[in-house]
Amino acid sequence: MDETHNRTTLVKGAKDIAKEAKRHAAKNFNKAVDRASDEYSTQRSYNRFQNEGEEENYDHYNQQDGLYADNAASDEEGASSDATEGHDDEDEIYEGEYQGVPAYSDGKPQDGQVALGQPVSDSLKGRKELENERQADEEELAQQYELIMQECGHGRFQWQLFFVLGLALMSDGVEVFVVGFVLPSAETDMCVPNSGAGWLGSIVYLGMMFGAFFWGGLSDKVGRKQCLLISMSVNGFFAFLSSFVQGYSTFLFCRMVSGFGIGGAVPIVFSYFAEVLAREKRGEHLSWLCMFWMIGGIYASAMAWAIIPHYGWSFSMGSAYQFHSWRVFVVVCALPCVSAVVALTFMPESPRFYLENGKHDEAWMVLKQIHDTNMRARGEPERVFTVNRIKVPKQLDELVEMQNESANPVLKVLYKIKAELTGIWSTFMKCFNYPVKENTMKLAAVWFTLSFGYYGLSVWFPDVIKHLQADEYASRVKIHNNEHIEDFTFNFTLENQIHKNSVFLNDRFIGMKFKAVTFVNTSFINCYFEDVSSVGSFFRNCIFVDSFFYNTDIDDAKLTNSRVNNSSFHHNKTGCQMTYEDDYSAYWVYFVNFLGTLAVLPGNIVSALLMDKIGRLSMLGGSMVLSGISCFFLWFGTSESMMIFMLCLYNGLSISAWNSLDVVTTELYPTDRRGTGFGFCNAICKLAAVLGNLIFGSLVGITKAIPILLASSVLVCGGLVGLRLPDTRANVLM
């Protein structure tokens, strides 16, 4: 009896255990089905990008377990027990409730799990196979990312970033124009001989060339925002410092480092902004962003016009420290850079950069911020960001040289720098791999030709205006021969005169100015000079006998082949004296540049409105060819007004080429080398600027035919090459 009872109890217990196991299995399976259906309902726009093999495996799994699930469900009613049954109300999550960052899984089995049906481990695959898988992942991400940006919409976030990045681009435009405006004043103030003149323009462009390549490549490694912050900070600090240094060599160094910093602005700004724009908005809004470069040029021209000619804005501490008005102008031109640095600290990193580097959670948070910011601005704060999982490209391991923890900190820094430079160079070499190699070569040719013509003429043209004015000024010179002036007091300005074979006896020159006055074969006997300044004035083959000089700037540099007998100099002014009084040529040059920059506005508007309608390549090639033709007609300009009109026409036509070239360069490179590729092209641009500056500058005053014909021919050739580039209007960002 007891044995029968015990056997019955054991059988009943075994049945209970079997029922309980079946109930748990059915419950787990139902949860999996619910989770899969929820994911499908919220992510149906993105599921079409999943691999077909994964879908087939999932269907096969459902078919195998379907029978078991039905059997388990049939026993569910009898399988309940008081110890295990209950409803987890506290675990429910309602729609619209913040659920945290979705967990990202790369498909690898977790600890303690069996990798049934998983592909071969990455450690057993070759490098080429891994790169092919990453390429496939990037293509899938490009399609999904485009849909995500469409869901996020275009609104307040993009406009905030638009103005912040616009300040950085404005700083680049200011830096370019500062070179031409400061060049004459800085070289005069620092007594630079003719042999050293022109180095300021070249050294700044050289700094920008290396900066574009370095910061653009580094932005693909450490991020768009971080690199832009550092590069703009370097620019602002050394630009501000350059306004206070007195030596020309130190000034050149500060401007070179300042140029190195601002060199990263263009490649990073366009890469950064393009990665938060949907395809249908990209061409138009990148073109609108280019307007800030024009605004930077207008700002620099207006500030130069308002500040530099005002000699009263300067001050000095003795004769050793001079702070002239052009230095005030340099300080004012650093303000857009400082503003950009402050505003940029409040913006997030590019989400596309995060995804490219395997940072799924960080990217999801930024995308959610973009979505929520735009939805709140639309008055729809209840809209939920429905993206739960984003495709992340396979991350390829890189060999890194590890250092001992106890190693010298200096060596650690050096190894870190070496590793970053090696990474930049490795990414740069990828720009010459298939399929972007041919595009890189074509882009480099277009960038070189466009910038050679534009920057060469922009630096050369102010000098041409000055040369024309100098010719007109020289045509009005007054020539005095065989004068004999005795016992006369000169207390007024002598301007634009030539005195030949003259004699000044017992004359007094007090509180007066020689402006563009040349004395040739002239004698000064028993003359008195006090508080005299001589701007552009020289004494050639002259004789000074028993004369006295007090607080004048007449020195050996102005006494060419002259003799000084029994004469003395006291408290001579040191340094090169600057004055803008009654000098309207400075006003005129700055005003001409202001008009030339303002003429870009119509071209900017037209290019922004038509960029997505007529296509990038048509606008690029057509603009370069037309600007080359307009540049050719500068050869026939016989007056200042005619040349100024042609300059404005040239600037208005060429700006469309710049805008379309920026858009095409951004869209042709994949995300992992976009900054590097753009930086390389921009470095080629600055190299062409250096060559244009040196070549065109050496021809000022000699001939205007060669520079104009050279610029015209290279622009037309570059436009024809640009037409051979692939059209990117319908491309998603790879």
Side-chain angles (χ1 to χ4, degrees), residues 43-93:
Q43 280 191 296
R44 57 185 178 275
S45 298
Y46 311 108
N47 281 343
R48 65 186 182 92
F49 301 109
Q50 301 296 328
N51 294 330
E52 295 180 358
E54 294 178 0
E55 295 177 353
E56 293 174 0
N57 292 338
Y58 187 77
D59 293 340
H60 181 64
Y61 172 78
N62 286 341
Q63 293 173 2
Q64 286 183 332
D65 291 347
L67 180 61
Y68 174 74
D70 293 339
N71 293 337
S74 63
D75 295 333
E76 179 67 23
E77 183 177 357
S80 302
S81 66
D82 295 338
T84 59
E85 189 173 10
H87 183 64
D88 299 331
D89 293 332
E90 59 194 19
D91 293 336
E92 288 189 3
I93 299 177

Side-chain angles (χ1 to χ4, degrees), residues 284 604-616 619 729:
E284 177 184 352
N604 256 315
I605 296 176
V606 170
S607 63
L609 296 177
L610 300 181
M611 184 68 69
D612 292 319
K613 293 181 173 61
I614 67 175
R616 286 88 157 118
M619 185 170 292
R729 184 168 24 171

Side-chain angles (χ1 to χ4, degrees), residues 418-484:
K418 178 183 176 182
E420 294 296 342
L421 293 177
T422 303
I424 293 173
W425 182 257
S426 175
T427 306
F428 170 65
M429 295 308 296
K430 291 181 181 178
C431 295
F432 293 91
N433 294 341
Y434 180 83
V436 298
K437 177 181 179 179
E438 184 178 355
N439 295 335
T440 299
M441 303 302 294
K442 292 178 181 178
L443 282 173
V446 177
W447 275 95
F448 184 89
T449 53
L450 181 58
S451 60
F452 182 82
Y454 181 84
Y455 284 105
L457 289 177
S458 65
V459 174
W460 171 76
F461 199 83
D463 291 336
V464 172
I465 293 292
K466 289 184 179 180
H467 185 71
L468 293 174
Q469 292 176 341
D471 289 343
E472 182 184 359
Y473 188 73
S475 66
R476 295 184 281 108
V477 65
K478 297 178 181 179
I479 301 176
H480 304 273
N481 290 305
N482 301 316
E483 289 181 309
H484 187 89

Side-chain angles (χ1 to χ4, degrees), residues 329-345:
F329 167 71
V330 172
V331 173
V332 172
C333 286
L335 296 180
C337 178
V338 176
S339 302
V341 170
V342 174
L344 194 60
T345 57

Side-chain angles (χ1 to χ4, degrees), residues 4 46-47 74 78 103 109 116 145 161 277 344 348 372 376 394 399 460-461 471 591 614 631 646 714 716:
T4 303
Y46 311 108
N47 281 343
S74 63
L116 295 177
Y145 192 81
L161 187 62
L277 294 174
L344 194 60
D372 294 348
R376 285 195 299 268
K394 183 180 292 295
L399 295 177
W460 171 76
F461 199 83
D471 289 343
F591 182 67
I614 67 175
C631 174
M646 296 306 298
V714 298
V716 173

Side-chain angles (χ1 to χ4, degrees), residues 523-549:
S523 300
F524 296 86
I525 303 173
N526 196 24
C527 292
Y528 181 80
F529 298 83
E530 181 180 352
D531 293 330
V532 175
S533 60
S534 55
V535 179
S537 300
F538 300 93
F539 301 84
R540 295 170 180 166
N541 299 319
C542 296
I543 300 176
F544 294 86
V545 180
D546 297 329
S547 296
F548 183 85
F549 297 84

Side-chain angles (χ1 to χ4, degrees), residues 398-668:
E398 297 181 358
L399 295 177
V400 179
E401 185 176 358
M402 303 300 293
Q403 296 299 316
N404 195 322
E405 291 295 332
S406 61
N408 191 324
V410 176
L411 292 178
K412 289 183 179 180
V413 174
L414 293 178
Y415 279 118
K416 179 67 174 176
I417 295 175
K418 178 183 176 182
E420 294 296 342
L421 293 177
T422 303
I424 293 173
W425 182 257
S426 175
T427 306
F428 170 65
M429 295 308 296
K430 291 181 181 178
C431 295
F432 293 91
N433 294 341
Y434 180 83
V436 298
K437 177 181 179 179
E438 184 178 355
N439 295 335
T440 299
M441 303 302 294
K442 292 178 181 178
L443 282 173
V446 177
W447 275 95
F448 184 89
T449 53
L450 181 58
S451 60
F452 182 82
Y454 181 84
Y455 284 105
L457 289 177
S458 65
V459 174
W460 171 76
F461 199 83
D463 291 336
V464 172
I465 293 292
K466 289 184 179 180
H467 185 71
L468 293 174
Q469 292 176 341
D471 289 343
E472 182 184 359
Y473 188 73
S475 66
R476 295 184 281 108
V477 65
K478 297 178 181 179
I479 301 176
H480 304 273
N481 290 305
N482 301 316
E483 289 181 309
H484 187 89
I485 302 176
E486 183 177 353
D487 198 20
F488 185 82
T489 300
F490 294 87
N491 55 5
F492 51 87
T493 299
L494 297 179
E495 181 179 358
N496 198 17
Q497 299 178 7
I498 297 178
H499 297 264
K500 295 182 178 180
N501 303 316
S502 302
V503 176
F504 293 86
L505 179 62
N506 297 325
D507 294 321
R508 292 164 298 280
F509 301 86
I510 301 176
M512 57 90 60
K513 179 192 302 181
F514 295 116
K515 183 178 180 182
V517 178
T518 302
F519 296 92
V520 181
N521 297 323
T522 299
S523 300
F524 296 86
I525 303 173
N526 196 24
C527 292
Y528 181 80
F529 298 83
E530 181 180 352
D531 293 330
V532 175
S533 60
S534 55
V535 179
S537 300
F538 300 93
F539 301 84
R540 295 170 180 166
N541 299 319
C542 296
I543 300 176
F544 294 86
V545 180
D546 297 329
S547 296
F548 183 85
F549 297 84
Y550 181 84
N551 194 30
T552 69
D553 62 353
I554 301 174
D555 53 15
D556 293 338
K558 298 179 179 180
L559 301 177
T560 306
N561 297 326
S562 299
R563 292 180 296 167
V564 180
N565 298 329
N566 197 26
S567 300
S568 59
F569 294 82
H570 299 274
H571 297 285
N572 255 27
K573 298 177 181 179
T574 59
C576 299
Q577 303 302 313
M578 299 182 63
T579 178
Y580 295 97
E581 297 175 5
D582 303 321
D583 185 4
Y584 296 101
S585 61
Y587 285 95
W588 185 244
V589 171
Y590 304 141
F591 182 67
V592 167
N593 278 276
F594 178 81
L595 291 178
T597 310
L598 193 62
V600 170
L601 180 60
N604 256 315
I605 296 176
V606 170
S607 63
L609 296 177
L610 300 181
M611 184 68 69
D612 292 319
K613 293 181 173 61
I614 67 175
R616 286 88 157 118
L617 301 186
S618 299
M619 185 170 292
L620 173 62
S623 176
M624 290 188 69
V625 171
L626 291 177
S627 60
I629 296 173
S630 68
C631 174
F632 173 76
F633 282 103
L634 286 172
W635 189 15
F636 302 101
T638 56
S639 63
E640 291 182 35
S641 58
M642 179 63 179
M643 293 196 70
I644 292 171
F645 171 77
M646 296 306 298
L647 173 69
C648 294
L649 180 62
Y650 166 73
N651 286 347
L653 291 173
S654 63
I655 190 60
S656 298
W658 283 111
N659 293 358
S660 54
L661 186 58
D662 289 331
V663 176
V664 169
T665 307
T666 303
E667 294 176 336
L668 275 181

